[in-house]
């Protein structure tokens, strides 16, 4: 059974940092595609970062490249997202997602590339 649970959201001023974590419970961690998405009110859910467990490779949306870092903590079974230099436009509900048995060159940056979703954690950035 796949379970995903996010934490770490909150309120921060522009220029600040937050670290999100997602506890990832998969029947197998090999060849899993993992991703972070966000959705602001009235907007589509967008992919912002992905991680492919087989290769340890990462992908980022242009909007967060250089500011956000996705990583896997094997000791804690978490997928983490370190977010630096946060801006008001980063305010959204953040979700982690997973697709086990994912045989790709890299984890995709698109919604339909994932099967399982967490409940989300809210990030609010005030300017």
């Amino acid at each position: 059974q796949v379970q995903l649970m996010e934490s770490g959201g909150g309120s921060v001023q522009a220029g600040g940092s937050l670290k999100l974590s997602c506890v990832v419970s998969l029947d197998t961690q090999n060849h899993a595609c993992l991703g972070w998405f966000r959705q602001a009110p009235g907007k589509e859910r967008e992919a912002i970062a992905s991680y492919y467990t087989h290769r340890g490779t990462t992908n980022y949306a242009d909007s967060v490249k250089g500011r956000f870092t996705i990583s896997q903590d094997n000791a804690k079974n978490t997928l983490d997202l370190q977010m630096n230099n946060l801006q008001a436009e980063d305010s959204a509900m953040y979700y982690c997602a997973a697709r086990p048995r994912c045989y790709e060159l890299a984890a995709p940056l698109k919604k339909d590339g994932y099967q399982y979703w967490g409940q989300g954690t809210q990030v609010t950035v005030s300017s």
Side-chain angles (χ1 to χ4, degrees), residues 28-78:
T28 174
Q29 293 282 352
N30 295 324
H31 293 279
C33 287
L34 305 174
W36 280 100
F37 291 73
R38 67 186 181 189
Q39 187 168 18
K43 293 189 176 181
E44 292 286 322
R45 187 170 299 189
E46 64 168 333
I48 55 174
S50 68
Y51 183 91
Y52 186 34
T53 62
H54 180 59
R55 299 176 187 271
T57 50
T58 58
N59 279 324
Y60 296 93
D62 288 342
S63 58
V64 305
K65 201 171 291 183
R67 300 187 299 125
F68 292 10
T69 303
I70 189 172
S71 61
Q72 185 181 30
D73 186 329
N74 289 321
K76 297 179 180 179
N77 286 332
T78 61

Side-chain angles (χ1 to χ4, degrees), residues 8 15 37 58-59 71 77 85 91 93 95 98-99 104 108 122:
F37 291 73
T58 58
N59 279 324
S71 61
N77 286 332
N85 191 23
S91 296
M93 186 71 79
Y95 300 89
R99 175 157 65 106
E104 307 278 354
Q122 179 69 40

